[in-house]
Structures are given as structure tokens and as C-alpha cells.
Amino acid sequence: MKTNLSLSLVASALIGALSHPAIASEEEAKVTETMTIFGSHNPLVLTPGSAHLISQEDLDTYKFTDIMRTLSTVPGVYVQEEDGYGLRPNIGMRGTGQNRSEKVTVMEDGVLAAPAPYASPAAYYFPTAGRMESIEVLKGSSTIKYGPRTTGGVVNLLSRQIPDADMAGMVDLSLGQDGFGKVHAYGGGQGDRVGAVAEVFHYQADGFRDINHVGGNTGFDKTDALAKVRFTSDQGAQFHQELEVKLKYSEETSNETYMGLTEEDFSSNPYSRYSASQKDQMNTDHKQVQLSHRIELTPEISLGTVAYYNAFHRNWYKASKIDGKSLGDGGIETAAAFDANPNGESLSVDIKANNRDYLSQGIQTELNAVFGDHELAFGLRLHEDEMDRFQWVDKYQLSSNYDWSLIEAGVPGTDSNRIDSANAVAVYVQDQFTVGDFNILAGLRYEDIETRRLDWGKSNPARIGAPNKDLKNSFDALLPALAATWQITDDLLILAGVQKGFAPPAPGNASGDIEESWNYEFGSRYNAGELSLEAVAFYSDYRNMHGNCTAAQGCDEEDLDNQYNAGEVDVKGLELSTAYTFNADGGVMFPLKLSYTYTDAKFANEFSSDFEVWGDVKKGYELPYLPENQLYLSVGAQTEAWQLNLATRYTDDIRTKAGAGSIPQEELIEAKTVVDLSARYFIGENQEIYFLAENLLDEAYMTTRVHGSIFAGKPRSFAAGYTVRF
């Protein structure tokens, strides 16, 4: 794909802004305002939509490294576990589905985090949650500024900010079961005009699954490194401005597979793995450069600009066929039978190198202006991304002694050999103003997108000449939103909103049909002292819903990355959340947090789809992989010297294929209740020791049925750690 937005031009544009004349500002600007959803420009308690902030204090309570455990505290958010460690999350909101977080907008520091958010939304990357400083979640009509997917909601992860002190930092060390280990350290500070921070986050585990007959590592090893430098204009300058440079690198090796277990093997040993999966391994690396600039043009007008470059490589080397059978068409059963009784015979195993490179880059800018009671925001983003699939298959023989022999080495580019790309322009305007006790938000977003698929086929790995297929598509969308809050008392407000939802079709969408919906919400929010309450009812009326075909949903190899259209879908539900802290004598406090989500999501038309989890659909069929009820409850006891917290997560029965009525056993993920425990003891003001027990009651539960096979969630595991801050 031709690169239209080179980093050199973007950097020149940002740095050139430093020389633009402006009027002096007496109020210091903060570059973080360009990265956050909530802040002085959008207070959390006044947001006209379902809004939640997971603070540093909240993150420290349980010390989770798994983003899916962290997000389970937020109502209206669904998580589907897979590997047990949260390396490749499946996150959805308000009935959108969770598959590879494809239907929500995920950002880090206000920038799209997916490797190719337009060209390949269902990607196998997610920012490392354990290094984040806070997490913002926003749903509803006030998400109009954040796209391209505006139906479900937004998750914005805030990375380590530069400390305000001259020098500050932290070291956090942890060890646990199954070879788990974590090292997290950062240090930095702020000078008169220059501030900086550097951070390293490494964690690993040997895994909780055992490969039949051969053993071996089924865990992972992942490292993130981050550095930021911020330059601030001199106090004597005509105006105040800041320029921040962010550099990030991460790499991961995880010994994961898509070969689950048969019903019989899951019942007898849910934490086993078939020997045919022992070579399965994913290797990834991610590089990021981000330049953020903010300038105060006047006390009422500011301009924030971010240029970004993300390069992501991954190769998931995993079994694709067993004795010529795909995993979803008898391959799993063949692997199971071989481990049960090899009979002196060998097993042929095709291992596919799912090798892909992703690129995402662009520039986005927002002008904020305050005129009386009106707070205006004008935004623009120029973006391009691509996914380059260059894959091959190696053929092996697995002997009855479980020894491997390479029979035929594949040639790179002879399996899947194509490039999916997208170019997008997004523009929005938003006005937030007050009329008496009413706070009104009105916005309009415009997306103009071009997609392309170049496919050279399996016989032209050198990509000589024109591709076999050159599929282009272009489309645009105009998306209005209107929301309001009514401040009834100082503590109580009513909120309501309506918004046109949108998701762009991927290059693999044969008809090029956009996802479109009208979304409505109505609720209230109450905050008084130690008590907070929020209740929001939502309804989404889809004209067309997308479904992306991935290996995570058991799709056949030839259908991977295709996108399918479901037509009309109705989603309605209710989100409840509350928090209260009881203060007892003796300085003991008892914090309580509860969140509940009810969802009713049904197809509103009849159709037949090659997308396996849909299949032949009748009107009124329920959507797959969506629980009707979810409940989270956290109770604790704490003093200045110690904390003890217990979190309980309940998830209702889930069907893995569209249907109605009782769920067939082979399509059922049974309801589960998972309990986590956290204990902390503070040694003075800057040190602590902590203990964490995940799945305290050791419930053996099912997470997914990929390729018709079953995966188990992580069993009970313990970890202990030590943290020192300076």
C-alpha cells in the first residue's frame, strides 16, 4: 500500500506548530487532555452516557494482569476468556459480540490501538493491561468523537504518565503458580521544561495445561518497554504549549493452540492438551511512535494534535489439519483418538504459519473552544492501515512415540498471499452546552473510507505482476448524536441520548455493506458521599450487523477474515452499578461494589449465512456468545495498614450458535461463578506486600467451543508480590 502519511511530514507539522504566534495563556496546558476521554473538558459525573473510570487505585486493588478480569467490573461489557491470561481478549459492549474485540473502539492514550482497525478489525493484539495507569470506558451517544465503531462503546487505556515530582518511580515483583512471574518498574520526573519516564513490564508463565504424553511449556513470555519525553515551552513565551514523544516496543512468545478438547476429555481432564498441538506457538512484536502536541491559543481555545505509527508482526504457527481433516471437521477427534491409543501408527499434522504484518498510521487533531456556555470540539483524523498475509504450511509426521519428522517444508506465500488495506478520513463536531439545569451534547461525525484487497493467490509467492484479485470499495457515513442530562438535585441527574451507530465494512465483506444502527439510552446517576448509583437502559436497532470470520470462532481456513452481514438485529438491556463504603469504628472501612447487566439480543429477520456461528437463522433467534445475565460483586475490608477484597463474577449460560429455546448441549457454555481474592499489607507509606488468588474456589469451567472443541478457564492459582515506590 502506498504510504500517504509519512512520519517525517507529520513530525515536521507538529514541530512547526511551535513557531506559530499566539496569545499568552495564564493557565498551564496539559498534554494528557489530548489522550483522555474524561477530564476538565468532560467531567465523569456529568457525562451524558454510561461512563466508568477504573483508576490506579482500582487497578492496584487486585493487581490483575488480565484485562478481562479488570473490565468485568463495568456493566454493559462482555468478556469471553480464551487462553486464561488475557493475552488476546474478546471484549464486547451492549450486545455487539466479543470476537477479538472487533466491535468496540479500543484506544491507548486516545489513539486507535488495533493493528489495522479499518482493514482487519478482528486482530490478535491488545495493549498490555498490567502496565496501564487507568482505564476509561464510555458507552452511548457521547461516543460520537471516537470511531470508527460507534455502536457499542470505547475502551481507552491510559499508559504511564510522566510523574509531576522531580523524581519518582516504582518496582513491583511477583511470583506465582505455574511458573508465573512479573517484573514491573518505572522511573521518571519533571524538570522546568523537560519531563521523562521509562517503564518496563515483563510477565510470564509456564501455563496450566499439560500436553498429553510429552509435557512442555503451554504458557507465555511477554515484555513491554515504554519511554516518554515531554518538552514544555518557556514560562516567558507568548503562549503555553507542550510536545510529547512516546516510544513503545513489545514482544511476546505464547505456546497457545486452537485445539480444544472433546466433551469426554474435557470431563475427565479439562487442563490437558493433545500431543498434535505441541508445536503450536505465537510470536509477536509491536512498535509504536507517537507525537502529541498541545497549544493554548487563548484561555478559551486550545489545539491538540497526535501523530501515530504502529507496526505489528505476528506469526501463529499452529496445527491446521490432522490426517487431512480440518480441526472443525474431524481433526480434533482424530488427535484425541491418537493420544488415547496410537496403535503403533503415525499421525500426519499440517502446521500453518499464520504469518501477518500490520501497519496503522495517521494524524488526528482536535480544536476545543469555549464560548459562554458552549464547549465546542472540532476533530479531524487522517488514517491508513493494512494487513499483509504471507503464509505457508509445513507438513509433519507424529510417530507413535510422539517424535516429530518434517515431511515437507512449505514455501512462504503459498498458502495465503494478500494485502487488505484501508484509507479513512474522519471529521466530527461536538457542542456541549448548558440550559438551566440541562447539559446538552450535540454532535455530528463523518467517515469517508476506501478499502482494497489485493490477492496474488497460492501460486505466486513472489507477487510478480498484477494480483489475481483487486477488489476496491468506498463508502461514507454521516452520524448524528444527541444526548442530555437533567440535574434534578446536586446529587441526582437523569440522562438520555440517541445516536446513529456505524461500523465500516472490511475488505473481506463481499457486498461492502456498512453496519448501521440507531441506539437509544435512558438512565440516571446518583452521587452522594460514599454512595454512587447508575442505572441505564439501552436499545440498539440494527439495520445491518457485521460478523467477522476468525479462527477464534472456529471458521474454516478458506473463510478467515471474511466479513458477513446479518441484516436486522434488536438489542435491548439494562446496566446497573453501585458502590458504597461503610465506615466502622476503629478505622475499618468496608467497600462494596456491584454491577449487573441484562441483555436481550435477537435477529429481526430470517437468512442463511456461511458464518458458522450464525448458520440458518430465523427471526427471533438469539445471538451467539452473549449471556443474558452478568453480575459482579466485590466486598472488602480495609484500614490504613491492610486491605482484604473478594470479587465474584457470575456469567449466565451462553449459546455458541444462533438459536432459540433451550440450548443444545454441544452448543452450550454453562453458567459459571468465579471468585478472586486479594490481600495487601502496607509497610510504611511506600512499600507493600500482596497476595492474589484467582479462581479461589477452583471451579472447572468452559470458556469457548472453538472448532467444536472445548477450552477450560484457568484453575485456581496463587501469586505473591512486593511493591516499593519512591
Side-chain angles (χ1 to χ4, degrees):
M1 182 180 67
K2 183 178 178 181
T3 300
N4 300 316
L5 302 170
S6 69
L7 277 179
S8 59
L9 290 176
V10 171
S12 298
L14 283 177
I15 296 172
L18 292 170
S19 62
H20 290 178
I23 301 173
S25 171
E26 296 180 358
E27 182 180 353
E28 181 177 326
K30 294 183 178 180
V31 74
T32 54
E33 289 285 315
T34 67
M35 304 176 184
T36 63
I37 295 175
F38 312 122
S40 61
H41 58 293
N42 186 29
L44 179 70
V45 295
L46 299 179
T47 300
S50 179
H52 295 266
L53 172 66
I54 304 174
S55 66
Q56 180 73 75
E57 181 180 358
D58 297 327
L59 295 173
D60 287 342
T61 298
Y62 286 96
K63 307 284 188 180
F64 289 141
T65 57
D66 184 344
I67 182 63
M68 293 191 287
R69 274 182 151 83
T70 301
L71 288 179
S72 64
T73 64
V74 182
V77 176
Y78 320 93
V79 296
Q80 190 67 42
E81 297 179 53
E82 186 175 315
D83 56 80
Y85 295 103
L87 299 175
R88 282 164 286 282
N90 299 283
I91 301 168
M93 295 183 184
R94 292 188 170 178
T96 61
Q98 302 99 296
N99 182 33
R100 289 287 174 252
S101 310
E102 65 187 4
K103 307 299 283 293
V104 299
T105 297
V106 179
M107 305 185 298
E108 180 177 333
D109 295 335
V111 172
L112 295 174
Y118 285 85
S120 182
Y124 290 62
Y125 169 81
F126 198 88
T128 301
R131 64 174 172 82
M132 297 301 164
E133 197 170 81
S134 61
I135 300 173
E136 301 172 311
V137 180
L138 181 66
K139 304 184 294 294
S141 49
S142 52
T143 64
I144 194 68
K145 291 167 58 176
Y146 312 102
R149 287 158 186 84
T150 61
T151 298
V154 184
V155 178
N156 186 33
L157 302 104
L158 276 300
S159 67
R160 181 66 49 194
Q161 301 301 305
I162 296 172
D164 293 331
D166 293 340
M167 184 62 186
M170 182 199 72
V171 177
D172 181 14
L173 306 173
S174 180
L175 292 174
Q177 282 184 286
D178 300 317
F180 177 81
K182 180 185 72 174
V183 177
H184 182 197
Y186 75 86
Q190 180 66 51
D192 291 337
R193 295 188 57 194
V194 179
V197 68
E199 181 178 34
V200 174
F201 188 96
H202 172 86
Y203 65 133
Q204 63 185 49
D206 295 335
F208 56 87
R209 297 187 175 98
D210 296 316
I211 301 176
N212 294 341
H213 306 292
V214 297
N217 190 315
T218 60
F220 70 97
D221 187 296
K222 185 172 184 180
T223 302
D224 271 30
L226 170 74
K228 292 182 179 180
V229 180
R230 183 169 63 228
F231 304 93
T232 307
S233 59
D234 188 84
Q235 292 183 352
Q238 287 183 303
F239 49 86
H240 182 89
Q241 54 185 322
E242 296 176 337
L243 176 67
E244 182 174 289
V245 182
K246 174 186 174 183
L247 304 174
K248 191 186 81 68
Y249 175 79
S250 67
E251 60 183 18
E252 173 195 327
T253 297
S254 52
N255 301 298
E256 281 297 332
T257 183
Y258 271 141
M259 292 185 65
L261 301 173
T262 63
E263 292 270 4
E264 182 181 358
D265 290 337
F266 176 78
S267 298
S268 61
N269 186 0
Y271 309 115
S272 62
R273 250 177 67 171
Y274 299 132
S275 61
S277 72
Q278 62 184 286
K279 284 188 174 293
D280 289 14
Q281 184 180 88
M282 176 179 276
N283 289 279
T284 76
D285 63 73
H286 179 260
K287 305 177 185 69
Q288 180 186 76
V289 180
Q290 187 170 308
L291 304 177
S292 303
H293 177 259
R294 180 178 170 88
I295 182 172
E296 295 270 339
L297 301 173
T298 74
E300 295 81 22
I301 301 175
S302 64
L303 178 68
T305 306
V306 182
Y308 55 92
Y309 169 87
N310 288 281
F312 177 64
H313 167 78
R314 65 97 154 172
N315 185 5
W316 197 341
Y317 193 65
K318 64 180 188 292
S320 58
K321 290 184 178 180
I322 310 297
D323 274 352
K325 301 174 183 177
S326 66
L327 300 186
D329 192 24
I332 299 290
E333 290 75 12
T334 302
F338 178 80
D339 281 0
N341 186 12
N343 290 323
E345 299 179 358
S346 60
L347 192 71
S348 67
V349 181
D350 288 5
I351 301 184
K352 183 175 181 178
N354 286 269
N355 182 64
R356 307 184 190 186
D357 286 287
Y358 297 84
L359 174 67
S360 174
Q361 59 184 357
I363 184 169
Q364 61 189 43
T365 187
E366 180 178 287
L367 179 69
N368 291 278
V370 179
F371 297 106
D373 291 332
H374 291 263
E375 297 184 15
L376 293 167
F378 303 90
L380 168 69
R381 180 171 66 211
L382 307 177
H383 174 91
E384 62 180 23
D385 61 46
E386 71 172 27
M387 174 191 67
D388 187 341
R389 291 169 59 108
F390 198 66
Q391 304 177 173
W392 65 94
V393 175
D394 294 333
K395 297 182 179 296
Y396 288 86
Q397 205 78 17
L398 180 60
S399 74
S400 59
N401 294 324
Y402 306 101
D403 295 324
W404 289 84
S405 300
L406 179 63
I407 305 302
E408 180 183 343
V411 176
T414 55
D415 184 78
S416 185
N417 183 15
R418 71 170 189 252
I419 296 176
D420 289 353
S421 62
N423 290 276
V425 177
V427 182
Y428 63 83
V429 57
Q430 178 179 287
D431 184 13
Q432 194 161 359
F433 57 96
T434 57
V435 179
D437 294 328
F438 290 89
N439 180 34
I440 300 172
L441 182 150
L444 189 65
R445 183 181 186 87
Y446 175 73
E447 292 263 2
D448 185 15
I449 305 166
E450 295 181 355
T451 64
R452 189 176 189 182
R453 171 171 285 186
L454 303 175
D455 194 337
W456 285 268
K458 299 182 179 182
S459 60
N460 186 8
R463 296 179 175 174
I464 298 173
N468 297 349
K469 296 180 181 179
D470 186 351
L471 305 176
K472 299 179 182 179
N473 204 350
S474 61
F475 39 86
D476 58 9
L478 191 62
L479 310 168
L482 180 65
T485 62
W486 175 24
Q487 196 75 47
I488 298 177
T489 69
D490 290 341
D491 304 323
L492 177 66
L493 62 79
I494 301 295
L495 62 90
V498 59
Q499 163 213 32
K500 189 175 184 180
F502 167 78
N509 190 315
S511 64
D513 199 5
I514 67 174
E515 180 177 282
E516 193 174 49
S517 63
W518 280 100
N519 310 295
Y520 309 88
E521 64 182 342
F522 177 81
S524 63
R525 184 180 298 130
Y526 179 81
N527 288 280
E530 297 293 338
L531 176 64
S532 65
L533 293 166
E534 183 176 283
V536 180
F538 61 88
Y539 172 65
S540 295
D541 181 8
Y542 284 85
R543 183 191 66 82
N544 179 50
M545 174 181 275
H546 286 160
N548 292 295
C549 193
T550 69
Q553 291 191 317
C555 283
D556 291 334
E557 292 288 334
E558 60 268 21
D559 296 327
L560 291 181
D561 294 319
N562 287 344
Q563 188 179 74
Y564 298 92
N565 301 298
E568 298 177 13
V569 175
D570 292 328
V571 180
K572 54 181 177 288
L574 177 66
E575 302 170 0
L576 299 173
S577 62
T578 183
Y580 184 73
T581 300
F582 298 89
N583 295 302
D585 295 336
V588 182
M589 295 182 295
F590 298 94
L592 169 70
K593 292 183 179 180
L594 182 145
S595 66
Y596 168 75
T597 306
Y598 168 77
T599 309
D600 180 11
K602 292 185 174 68
F603 293 98
N605 52 233
E606 185 173 319
F607 66 97
S608 293
S609 176
D610 292 333
F611 191 30
E612 185 177 350
V613 298
W614 291 347
D616 296 324
V617 172
K618 295 182 179 179
K619 183 178 180 180
Y621 271 17
E622 297 173 349
L623 270 66
Y625 282 100
L626 277 176
E628 185 177 28
N629 297 284
Q630 285 189 160
L631 178 68
Y632 171 87
L633 174 64
S634 174
V635 295
Q638 62 187 50
T639 69
E640 292 184 357
W642 55 267
Q643 290 183 3
L644 186 66
N645 292 278
L646 197 70
T648 301
R649 295 179 288 124
Y650 170 79
T651 306
D652 214 345
D653 286 348
I654 294 174
R655 64 172 68 247
T656 61
K657 188 173 181 178
S662 61
I663 305 175
Q665 181 62 34
E666 66 274 12
E667 298 174 6
L668 171 66
I669 297 177
E670 293 183 350
K672 57 182 177 290
T673 301
V674 181
V675 179
D676 297 324
L677 172 70
S678 169
R680 306 169 68 190
Y681 180 75
F682 303 102
I683 308 170
E685 295 182 357
N686 64 340
Q687 298 181 73
E688 70 170 282
I689 54 175
Y690 60 88
F691 174 81
L692 180 64
E694 296 183 349
N695 194 1
L696 179 66
L697 303 182
D698 201 24
E699 178 169 349
Y701 62 94
M702 188 186 305
T703 61
T704 186
R705 286 181 176 268
V706 178
H707 298 294
S709 59
I710 302 171
F711 282 82
K714 187 167 68 172
R716 179 169 53 211
S717 62
F718 300 110
Y722 166 78
T723 303
V724 58
R725 295 175 174 84
F726 57 89

